[in-house]
Amino acid sequence: MLPLTETVTHLENTLFGMGNPLLDISAVVDKDFLDKFGLKPNDQILAEDKHKALFEEIVKRNKVEYHAGGSTLNSVKIAQWMIQKPHKVATFFGCIGTDQFGEILKKKAEEAHVDAHYYEQNEEPTGTCAACITGDNRSLVANLAAANCYKKEKHLDLDSNWELVKKAKVYYIAGFFLTVSPESILKVAKHASDNNKIFCMNLSAPFISQFFKEPLMMIMPYVDILFGNETEAATFAKELGFETDDIAEIARKTQNLPKENAKRQRVVVFTQGKDDTVATKVTMFPVLDIDQNDIVDTNGAGDAFVGGFLSALVQEDGLVECIRAGHYAANVIIRRVGCTFPEKPDFH
């Protein structure tokens, strides 16, 4: 039997995430606010010029909350929380500005025990994401700013950073990063595929399949585990001409898309809110029951599901256990504002 310290420390830096680090600014708003900025109640979009005033207005609302966010960072943070010890199971790369929001993101990653290595630049301020909450719905408007400035050759390619990539066994990158640096994703995905490691990706939002289909399909042959929700799955199916709106069938067809590393069959996992999670080989997994009154904020539920899933995956658990951990994490997170969590998980 190995001494405990050895069995525990082997998990350090085994999970690698790369994405858009954003400071989430969340506030409860009303329908008038959504209408004013042309927002749907439940959506994720990139900010345009017409949304500039939204960021100025939302911070003036009462009860504004600031949380370290960005989809991939949320997920690796949750994975670390589920595992607890050792610290620094997850490495995270992304770009921030040299400003106060950037300092907050650094501090928050440190508090979450994530080993974050940021590319810092001073041309753009740290990215923000306005979470406009109405009832159970959340409309996310991301102003990427600095997050959009990630440079492969100035960060990922540096020897000390690439060593951290090589150290990992499981990789997770949300589809959102396709809008920033597909070449960085490709380099990491190829490394995972060539070394028979596990590369995971998320469809992230309908607009990714619609407007970034080319980079998405460039990476798809390297994807071992693909996550998404029912809306993203439907949009993806439509863009690929699958001609079905049956979620299990979409999962099957996605699983059978061309794949580089034949040693691993692709696994597709689609969540459906309160309905069963669909995973290939097509099985339905019921989510944990929750009283509607206990749902505080569904923002971060998808990220939390992935985080829980990844926490079991890096510990080499099977699919059923990974999904159980994902459902647990999501169930905890929707009872709280933002992608936040209690001190310790109660998961066995």
Side-chain angles (χ1 to χ4, degrees):
M1 179 99 175
L2 282 168
L4 189 63
T5 49
E6 277 187 46
T7 52
V8 166
T9 51
H10 82 280
L11 280 173
E12 277 179 20
N13 302 107
T14 47
L15 174 60
F16 175 84
M18 180 165 61
N20 300 331
L22 303 172
L23 192 70
D24 281 348
I25 306 169
S26 62
V28 173
V29 300
D30 50 24
K31 189 176 177 308
D32 291 347
F33 184 91
L34 296 182
D35 292 345
K36 180 176 178 182
F37 294 106
L39 303 177
K40 293 177 193 160
N42 218 13
D43 203 8
Q44 304 104 315
I45 61 166
L46 291 176
E48 297 168 38
D49 283 346
K50 66 178 181 187
H51 300 115
K52 286 268 195 309
L54 180 153
F55 287 88
E56 289 157 20
E57 270 191 46
I58 200 165
V59 296
K60 293 179 188 148
R61 298 245 147 190
N62 51 358
K63 285 214 199 141
V64 179
E65 297 207 16
Y66 293 89
H67 300 284
S71 185
T72 305
L73 185 54
N74 279 344
S75 292
V76 300
K77 238 169 42 180
I78 296 273
Q80 176 66 59
W81 170 71
M82 288 283 285
I83 292 168
Q84 291 282 307
K85 289 264 164 60
H87 293 161
K88 299 191 173 178
V89 167
T91 311
F92 176 79
F93 288 1
C95 182
I96 57 175
T98 48
D99 51 27
Q100 190 202 347
F101 282 177
E103 289 305 312
I104 293 174
L105 278 180
K106 280 197 222 169
K107 189 166 155 283
K108 294 277 188 192
E110 208 173 297
E111 284 168 8
H113 308 300
V114 168
D115 193 13
H117 294 255
Y118 293 114
Y119 170 50
E120 295 180 47
Q121 51 72 58
N122 53 19
E123 283 167 35
E124 285 281 345
T126 297
T128 47
C129 178
C132 311
I133 298 162
T134 51
D136 288 350
N137 293 317
R138 74 325 164 242
S139 197
L140 306 179
V141 184
N143 181 26
L144 296 184
N148 210 17
C149 301
Y150 189 82
K151 298 275 183 289
K152 174 177 166 287
E153 63 284 358
K154 295 214 171 138
H155 196 261
L156 185 68
D157 293 346
L158 303 182
D159 289 345
S160 57
N161 289 335
W162 189 248
E163 281 306 313
L164 286 166
V165 175
K166 287 183 357 195
K167 208 172 161 187
K169 295 191 176 87
V170 174
Y171 302 83
Y172 174 66
I173 300 175
F176 291 124
F177 202 57
L178 287 165
T179 74
V180 174
S181 186
E183 60 283 3
S184 295
I185 304 177
L186 188 62
K187 183 175 181 179
V188 172
K190 279 187 169 167
H191 167 79
S193 181
D194 293 346
N195 294 279
N196 196 28
K197 297 176 182 180
I198 302 173
F199 183 81
C200 314
M201 199 154 185
N202 202 316
L203 292 175
S204 291
F207 80 83
I208 298 293
S209 295
Q210 288 167 316
F211 307 115
F212 295 89
K213 182 170 134 189
E214 198 179 323
L216 174 63
M217 296 320 289
M218 174 179 78
I219 307 296
M220 196 57 74
Y222 303 97
V223 177
D224 296 303
I225 302 177
L226 181 71
F227 298 100
N229 66 22
E230 72 278 36
T231 322
E232 294 149 10
T235 306
F236 180 71
K238 199 168 143 204
E239 288 298 322
L240 265 72
F242 283 174
E243 292 181 357
T244 178
D245 48 16
D246 177 72
I247 191 115
E249 186 57 22
I250 295 170
R252 254 194 300 268
K253 289 192 171 212
T254 305
Q255 181 180 34
N256 293 330
L257 289 169
K259 190 157 188 315
E260 278 292 321
N261 178 10
K263 293 187 194 127
R264 293 185 187 278
Q265 189 180 24
R266 182 180 293 117
V267 174
V268 180
V269 184
F270 290 146
T271 56
Q272 309 187 79
K274 62 183 185 309
D275 295 327
D276 293 2
T277 295
V278 178
T280 53
K281 318 166 176 131
V282 178
T283 323
M284 306 296 240
F285 296 90
V287 299
L288 297 166
D289 280 338
I290 185 164
D291 185 324
Q292 283 302 110
N293 300 325
D294 291 338
I295 298 177
V296 175
D297 175 8
T298 54
N299 180 26
D303 295 338
F305 172 81
V306 172
F309 188 104
L310 295 172
S311 73
L313 189 64
V314 294
Q315 296 178 86
E316 298 178 2
D317 289 338
L319 181 63
V320 174
E321 194 55 21
C322 289
I323 288 175
R324 194 170 81 84
H327 284 165
Y328 168 79
N331 187 274
V332 170
I333 267 60
I334 57 180
R335 298 167 190 267
R336 307 166 69 90
V337 172
C339 199
T340 62
F341 35 84
E343 191 188 344
K344 287 192 167 149
D346 180 20
F347 178 72
H348 309 291

